[in-house]
Amino acid sequence: MTARMLRLFPGPSEDMALDGAYLAHRLHERGSAGSPFVYASFVASLDGRIAQRDPVSGESRLPAGLVSGNDFRLFLELQAQADCMVTHGGYLRDLAAGRLDNVLQVGTQDATRDLARWRTDNGLTPQPTLVIASASLDFPMPDSPARHGQRVVIATGAAAPAERIARWRAAGHEVLIVGAGASVEGAPLADELGRQGLRSIYLLTGPRMLDTMLRDHRLSRLYLTTAHRLLGGESFHSMLAGPELGDAGRLRLCALHYDASAPDGTGQFFAHFEPRPA
């Protein structure tokens, strides 16, 4: 049975198919070289948890109560529209350790071939450029980008370890210096990727990158899935951590949809927001 959801805002309400709902946003057409369209997505509980942290090992995990096939389908549709995806060294370390699944490529499974065709039909490269943001530059390089002919770029800050920058460059990888300290900064990263012709930039990087893109006024849109579940727990991650954002955190609701069936029949909201101009 095809998944359905109810559009609540903007009205009037409408029952609609879930598949294709985010592809209809055509994010790959919204940006330009001078002003790339930068978007992020998160899934959270009603009490604001995006991940829980093991108090002994310190490892983070996505709680099973937040996971659903419907949310994952929309995630894949956002991925399919990207000229480039920004990930981080922590994800690659977790991937190598078997703690997370590989989501670095588009349309490589039988169930997602339609997204590969969508990219071809809409003039995008078979795979988005993969940008790895890292301050330490200490991460393993997975083999899947090379197997799929995917361009890989490493992004770091000026104070990152010089010997590791040299090592990655010697291995044939492009390294961008896009931050005054050790970490990547939002404006330099978005501006440099735009200069390289990457017009739609999907952030798969977590709270720190969201923070710097908001503070630098480079975030174009935030997608948020809210699972109707309270998680609790004393050790967790939320969407942001750090100093108050002030006016940089002002967002306006663009659309809100209700999925009554998932996860586990509790329901969830799919919303997207855009920053309000200062």
Side-chain angles (χ1 to χ4, degrees):
M1 182 178 177
T2 303
R4 310 289 298 180
M5 61 183 182
L6 180 67
R7 188 185 69 209
L8 301 175
F9 179 83
S13 62
E14 177 189 6
D15 179 74
M16 59 185 292
L18 184 137
D19 282 15
Y22 279 3
L23 290 178
H25 294 181
R26 303 195 66 78
L27 305 180
H28 63 299
E29 297 177 345
R30 292 181 173 270
S32 64
S35 182
F37 193 86
V38 180
Y39 58 106
S41 69
F42 288 85
V43 56
S45 63
L46 286 171
D47 49 343
R49 274 73 164 151
I50 66 167
Q52 291 178 321
R53 191 166 43 232
D54 187 299
V56 177
S57 69
E59 295 173 1
S60 298
R61 60 179 177 83
L62 179 64
L66 302 185
V67 177
S68 76
N70 289 352
D71 173 69
F72 189 59
R73 169 65 195 193
L74 293 179
F75 162 80
L76 294 174
E77 292 190 5
L78 293 176
Q79 188 186 48
Q81 298 172 73
D83 277 331
C84 80
M85 299 188 302
V86 184
T87 187
H88 56 95
Y91 169 74
L92 298 184
R93 291 189 292 271
D94 284 339
L95 180 63
R99 291 189 289 267
L100 293 174
D101 294 330
N102 190 332
V103 293
L104 298 177
Q105 286 79 44
V106 175
T108 59
Q109 306 297 321
D110 288 343
T112 59
R113 300 294 183 200
D114 64 306
L115 298 176
R117 291 191 296 270
W118 189 94
R119 287 184 66 86
T120 300
D121 292 345
N122 285 275
L124 294 168
T125 58
Q127 294 297 335
T129 294
L130 181 64
V131 178
I132 304 167
S134 175
S136 69
L137 298 176
D138 181 18
F139 56 84
M141 183 64 70
D143 61 3
S144 61
R147 285 192 282 107
H148 293 282
Q150 188 174 22
R151 179 189 176 202
V152 177
V153 176
I154 298 170
T156 194
E163 70 280 3
R164 290 179 178 167
I165 294 175
R167 190 182 312 147
W168 283 115
R169 285 175 170 163
H173 293 287
E174 180 181 359
V175 180
L176 304 178
I177 306 300
V178 283
S183 298
V184 171
E185 296 172 9
L189 176 63
D191 294 348
E192 177 57 33
L193 295 178
R195 283 191 289 269
Q196 296 194 15
L198 302 169
R199 299 165 300 164
S200 53
I201 302 171
Y202 187 16
L203 305 179
L204 303 176
T205 44
R208 196 202 165 278
M209 186 65 72
L210 178 64
D211 181 274
T212 185
M213 286 292 181
L214 282 167
R215 292 182 191 279
D216 287 355
H217 303 287
R218 290 299 190 275
L219 187 76
S220 306
R221 183 174 291 180
L222 172 66
Y223 288 86
L224 176 63
T225 297
T226 304
H228 297 172
R229 184 182 187 120
L230 297 167
L231 289 177
E234 296 181 353
S235 188
F236 61 89
H237 295 286
S238 60
M239 286 173 55
L240 287 173
E244 291 184 13
L245 276 170
D247 285 348
R250 296 170 71 233
L251 305 176
R252 67 178 183 88
L253 177 66
C254 298
L256 177 65
H257 296 80
Y258 173 52
D259 170 20
S261 65
D264 298 327
T266 58
Q268 56 193 342
F269 289 134
F270 301 124
H272 69 268
F273 304 84
E274 293 183 355
R276 291 182 60 91

